[in-house]
Structure formats: C-alpha cells, structure tokens
Amino acid sequence: FRVGESELYFSFNGGSLESFARAVNERASDLVSARVVQNTSTTKILLVEANQTGSANPLSFLEDARTLALEAGILEEVVDQVLRPPVQASTVQGATDPGTRSIQAGTLTVNPGGNARIDLPSTIDPAPGLVLEFEVRVTDLFAGFTAPEPPTGPEIPDTGAVSLSDITIRNEESLVDLPPWEQPEPPTVVSDFELLSLEGGAETVRLPALSDTDDFERVQIRIADYVNRLDALRIENNNTHRDIAIRDIAIYDSQVRGDLAPVNAINTARDAIVAIEGIEVVRSSNSIDDLIEGVTLSVRGVSTIPVEVSIEPDREGVTDSLIQFVFYYNELIREINILTRSEQAIVDELTNLSSEEREEALAKLGLMQGNLSLNSLKSRLQTIMMNPYPTDAGRELTLLAQMGISSNESGFGGGFQASRLRGYLEMNPQEVDAMLRNLFPAVKQLFGTDTNGDRAVDTGIAYEIDRYIRPYTQVGGVIATRTGNIATSISSAEDRIEREETRLARVEQRYRQEFADMEAALGRMQESQATLQNLANQTGGNQ
C-alpha cells in the first residue's frame, strides 16, 4: 500500500477476509486499516482506508494488493483524464470594458471593477469525485499605501502692512467674499473577496471567499458541492484596489489513482475546508487547533449554512495542570523538609525515591536546619493553600480543600501518621472532576481572578503563590542575594585564612632562624667546654 509518499509491504499467505483484515491491521497499521462488513447473509465487504487524512495522502494499491483489489471488484481500470480548459481570448468573455482584463501566457488578470467568464469546452456533469482545481492570486494594489490628506480649501493672502517706529498701518482688507469651504468626500473603497462563481445553466453559485496573497495559491473545489452542472467559471472583481489573476485550470476525478479508480469509494483523500469570518481555511485534518487560540475545532461534516460552534473548556487539560501543580508543590515541600529537618523518617516516608535519590536525600538531611528563610517559605505557602478566596460560587467553593486538594485529603483514620503533618498535598480525582464539571468558572476564580474591574488578576491561590515566590526566583531576589552574601562571606574567610597562613609562615621562619641560632650557640658552647676540659686534663697531668 502507498499513502501519500509512504509505502509499506507485508506478506500474507492466504486465508479468509477476516484474517486478511487482521493482517493489515497488525502489520500495516502505520498507514492503513481494514475491516470486514457482512452486508448480506451471503456476501461481505472489505473496507480499506488510509490512516492519514488530507488530500496529500491518497491511498494506492501496489503489486499484489492491486491484483487483489481488481479481482475482488474493489478497483477498476479507467483512463486517467484531466480536462484543462485553455485560458485564451476565444474562451474568455466579459460584460464590462475589455480593458479591465488581460491574458498573458495562459494567465487571466482581472483589474478592479472588471469581470470575466472562462467558458469550458463542454458542459460538465459533476460526478461525486469530480474536482475543479486552479491557481489564483489576489493582489492588494494599495498595500502599504497611505492616502494623502485632502486640501484645506482656498485662502485669501494677507494684505500686508507698513510700520514706522511704533506705528503700524495695515492695508485695507480684501473685499472678496469667499463662500464657506466644504471638504470633499473621500473616495469610495470597496473590498470584496467573493470573487469567483461557478455557472451552470441558469444557476450561478459563489465560491468561498479568497484572501490577499503574495504569490499564486492552488485552490481545489469539489464541483458537486456547489452546482449540478458546470458551464463556466466567473470572475467578478468589484474591488477598487485589487487585481485577481487565475491560471492552470484543471478538472479531474479525485478518486482516480493513475489508471485505477475505486468501484465503491466511501470517501476520497480530501482536505478539511472551513470558512471562518469569511476566510477559507484549508487543513489536512478534521481536528483544527490553530484557528482560535486555546480551542480545537472538530469538523464533523459538510454544511451549506453557518454553523454555531459550541466551545467547551478543556477540563482534561486543567486536570493535568492541577496534577502538575500538586506535584511541583510537593517537590518543593519535600526539599524544604529534607534540608531543614534531621529526622531520617522524613526520607524513609518517601517511598517513590530511587536508591540514588535516597542516598542524595540522606546526604542533604538537615544541612540547613534552623534556616529562617526556608521555614518561612514553607509556612507561608501552607497558609496560602489553606486561605479562602472569593468566587462566584460563594461558600460552595472558597477553599482548595473543597475541590478535593488538601494536606489531609485521606483523613487520619488508622492512627497517627507523622507524614501527614509534613505539609504535602493530596488530590481526590473524583472531587476535582466534579468541581470542573459543575463549577468550572469558580475553579478558575479560586486560582486567580480580578476583583476590582481593572482586568488584572489580584487574588487567588496561583496569584498569591506567584507574588510570594517571585522574590525567591527573580534575578537579584532573596535566593540570589543570600547566595551572594554567602559567597562574599566565603571569599572574606578565604582571604583571612590566606593572611593567617602568610603570618604563620613568617612566624615559623623566624622560629626556625632562632632555633638555628640557638643550635649554633650551643655548638660553640660545647666546643668551649671540650677545650676547657682538655686544658684541665693537661694541667692535672703536669703536676
């Protein structure tokens, strides 16, 4: 099988339709899926579909799959025909001044205020898969242009004056009486993006609105969605400042793959087309998440009238965010507990630690015991979590514990447990889910809301936490200042140690010199003693 540009091969040794469908689903699920439907008591239908959506991902059968599809009547051989209506003087007509349109190298350009009609070689009876395709460019001629200010109107020049010393004599004022000046009306500017229509018999149907483009863009229209027959493509340029150019017109069967076409195609590879605020949007998936910020549109089917969109909150995403919030809060409380307490029980209670993490925690245990900053941080965070905050739900939801998040959510049954006094949060998924279903706006207000109408959040759990911990995390904040002070103290201590080591070295050198002098003096004294002893011995022998 081939889907778009991807191909996948697998071997099948024979069997029932059901076993073949299972083989497809097990071995080719990255590209295609298969299903067997019992349509009558004696016949079955094999359904094969691509798992990727969009017009760029058509499904093709190759080699043995092609043979199987032809023999089973899934595909049939056809002659691949593409009708390309020529864009030339003989096929282009228009009811207005021919000077408003031009044809060059197969490209029709219709200037502001002009219109044109491109006739097809013959009437087209649109089959379900028949597609009209062309390239179009809409150019804004005034893009970046600023209209000049209108004139202020006629004025009579000053008649002048003559001055001598402190005396000034003015000329007589003009006797011409000018009528009051009226500013002219600004020129009319027309912007219209509904430029194209399909014409079939007496019926003319407008195509979705276009938009300004820098270059040619390819447009694909499923003919049967608009008209029952097709004779011509009309261009009506009512704009005062836009040109429209069209080229490379083609009409073809989108279900045909080369020389093959599906016999009973349920659907063909197509893009999702949505008109939002009059602008046509094309996407390869029915799930569109980049049109409205924070909203995913799930396109379900074709509609010829505007569709009312119901937007629901992303409760699953909020639940995930709450889980992360509780996780990171507990991570912070855990680190503070380990650093400020010396009981090994604090580490023993953390059953989700790996052996390496446990050793690291034991090494840090009590290193900052008695630290006022960390103890104050923990105490303040716990207070923020327990405080009430205003919401539209009133007493029904003012506390975090009321929506299933608290430090003792499981209660204290089964005796005293010291771990529940450490400040960790627990979350009851059922209560959280119920609050998100029934009081979603109030949950938002609990974490942050504007109470004075200035469009700035000024209260709530998330607001208070952010406001309190910001000095700890910002550049030049509490942690940075404390770290800088400690670094300065360490540097000063190192300087003192270096000075003391230098002084001790000098003292040691002095003592060594004095000791050497003492040893030299002692040596001289011993020599003198020996000399005197020898002299005494000699004197005694002479007697």
Side-chain angles (χ1 to χ4, degrees):
F1 300 99
R2 176 189 293 137
V3 176
E5 299 297 325
S6 302
E7 294 183 3
L8 191 147
Y9 293 81
F10 71 92
S11 298
F12 179 66
N13 296 325
S16 64
L17 280 180
E18 287 78 4
S19 61
F20 176 73
R22 284 195 300 270
V24 171
N25 294 331
E26 292 172 359
R27 305 176 194 178
S29 58
D30 290 343
L31 292 184
V32 296
S33 59
R35 185 158 55 99
V36 177
V37 179
Q38 182 98 28
N39 63 323
T40 71
S41 59
T42 58
T43 58
K44 299 177 181 179
I45 293 176
L46 174 64
L47 172 65
V48 182
E49 60 183 340
N51 291 334
Q52 284 78 32
T53 59
S55 60
N57 295 303
L59 170 62
S60 300
F61 291 72
L62 311 177
E63 300 183 10
D64 289 341
R66 171 192 173 101
T67 303
L68 170 65
L70 287 171
E71 292 179 353
I74 298 174
L75 300 177
E76 62 181 356
E77 292 184 324
V78 297
V79 177
D80 185 12
Q81 293 183 344
V82 178
L83 177 62
R84 299 187 181 277
V87 179
Q88 55 192 24
S90 61
T91 61
V92 176
Q93 303 179 24
T96 58
D97 181 6
T100 59
R101 63 181 185 273
S102 61
I103 301 174
Q104 185 175 7
T107 299
L108 169 63
T109 301
V110 180
N111 306 123
N115 62 34
R117 165 182 161 151
I118 303 175
D119 291 325
L120 301 182
S122 61
T123 298
I124 302 297
D125 294 323
L130 209 59
V131 168
L132 169 65
E133 192 174 85
F134 51 85
E135 289 188 350
V136 65
R137 180 184 64 199
V138 179
T139 305
D140 187 350
L141 303 177
F142 291 167
F145 173 76
T146 302
E149 293 291 332
T152 57
E155 294 182 359
I156 298 177
D158 187 34
T159 56
V162 176
S163 298
L164 179 63
S165 296
D166 296 334
I167 301 174
T168 299
I169 301 176
R170 297 191 58 81
N171 292 329
E172 186 178 1
E173 297 294 333
S174 174
L175 298 178
V176 177
D177 186 16
L178 290 178
W181 177 79
E182 295 182 0
Q183 187 177 23
E185 292 290 332
T188 302
V189 177
V190 177
S191 289
D192 181 15
F193 287 105
E194 293 186 352
L195 303 168
L196 302 178
S197 304
L198 297 184
E199 184 177 306
E203 183 182 24
T204 300
V205 179
R206 285 189 178 273
L207 295 180
L210 302 174
S211 60
D212 291 328
T213 58
D214 295 328
D215 202 352
F216 281 94
E217 292 186 355
R218 182 156 291 277
V219 175
Q220 189 181 81
I221 301 295
R222 193 181 180 96
I223 300 174
D225 292 343
Y226 295 91
V227 293
N228 296 320
R229 56 175 284 188
L230 179 60
D231 296 321
L233 175 64
R234 294 186 62 87
I235 302 100
E236 298 181 14
N237 189 1
N238 297 319
N239 290 277
T240 54
H241 58 288
R242 285 186 174 87
D243 282 344
I244 176 174
I246 190 169
R247 69 184 185 186
D248 293 341
I249 302 174
I251 300 174
Y252 60 91
D253 190 342
S254 62
Q255 297 180 356
V256 173
R257 303 286 183 267
D259 60 345
L260 298 177
V263 175
N264 296 297
I266 296 177
N267 211 333
T268 58
R270 299 174 58 193
D271 292 327
I273 302 175
V274 178
I276 180 168
E277 300 293 342
I279 300 173
E280 183 177 297
V281 176
V282 179
R283 294 293 185 272
S284 62
S285 171
N286 286 340
S287 181
I288 305 174
D289 59 4
D290 57 356
L291 283 182
I292 305 174
E293 185 177 358
V295 175
T296 298
L297 296 176
S298 297
V299 183
R300 299 301 184 187
V302 177
S303 175
T304 56
I305 60 174
V307 176
E308 182 179 348
V309 178
S310 175
I311 299 177
E312 292 291 334
D314 183 9
R315 293 181 174 85
E316 183 177 348
V318 173
T319 301
D320 292 340
S321 296
L322 289 174
I323 293 173
Q324 289 187 1
F325 171 74
V326 171
F327 171 79
Y328 288 123
Y329 177 86
N330 286 341
E331 286 280 290
L332 176 59
I333 297 299
R334 185 190 74 180
E335 288 300 311
I336 295 176
N337 287 339
I338 292 173
L339 291 170
T340 59
R341 306 291 291 274
S342 58
E343 304 100 289
Q344 183 173 331
I346 291 177
V347 178
D348 294 338
E349 294 163 0
L350 303 173
T351 57
N352 60 338
L353 297 181
S354 65
S355 57
E356 293 80 5
E357 291 172 334
R358 175 180 168 79
E359 292 300 323
E360 182 182 354
L362 290 173
K364 295 187 297 184
L365 193 63
L367 285 180
M368 303 184 73
Q369 189 171 2
N371 184 279
L372 294 178
S373 296
L374 289 181
N375 287 324
S376 175
L377 174 62
K378 176 183 175 182
S379 176
R380 179 57 182 159
L381 288 176
Q382 289 178 307
T383 301
I384 292 174
M385 292 299 180
M386 292 185 297
N387 280 346
Y389 300 94
T391 70
D392 290 344
R395 294 184 178 181
E396 192 173 356
L397 183 60
T398 61
L399 299 171
L400 189 62
Q402 289 177 293
M403 64 173 294
I405 302 176
S406 67
S407 59
N408 59 346
E409 183 60 28
S410 300
F412 290 92
F416 173 76
Q417 296 184 30
S419 62
R420 294 201 177 136
L421 301 178
R422 309 291 189 200
Y424 300 119
L425 291 179
E426 294 181 355
M427 181 172 171
N428 187 315
Q430 290 77 22
E431 292 188 20
V432 170
D433 182 66
M435 283 294 177
L436 292 179
R437 284 198 317 269
N438 302 323
L439 298 175
F440 191 90
V443 172
K444 174 183 178 298
Q445 294 167 346
L446 183 66
F447 282 85
T449 188
D450 170 26
T451 59
N452 56 15
D454 62 354
R455 297 186 178 181
V457 174
D458 52 31
T459 186
I461 296 171
Y463 170 79
E464 294 295 340
I465 289 180
D466 176 72
R467 186 177 67 165
Y468 181 70
I469 68 173
R470 188 175 299 169
Y472 288 86
T473 58
Q474 66 185 9
V475 176
V478 175
I479 301 298
T481 301
R482 184 67 183 274
T483 303
N485 293 338
I486 293 174
T488 301
S489 300
I490 292 174
S491 178
S492 299
E494 289 176 344
D495 291 341
R496 290 196 301 272
I497 291 172
E498 184 178 357
R499 291 196 299 270
E500 286 299 315
E501 287 178 343
T502 302
R503 187 182 68 81
L504 289 174
R506 290 197 298 266
V507 171
E508 181 184 10
Q509 183 63 30
R510 190 184 74 218
Y511 286 162
R512 287 181 181 275
Q513 185 62 46
E514 291 176 353
F515 182 76
D517 293 342
M518 289 176 59
E519 281 191 329
L522 180 61
R524 290 192 296 270
M525 291 178 62
Q526 289 176 344
E527 289 177 359
S528 298
Q529 181 182 9
T531 300
L532 291 174
Q533 183 65 40
N534 289 335
L535 180 62
N537 290 338
Q538 291 176 1
T539 303
N542 291 332
Q543 293 177 351

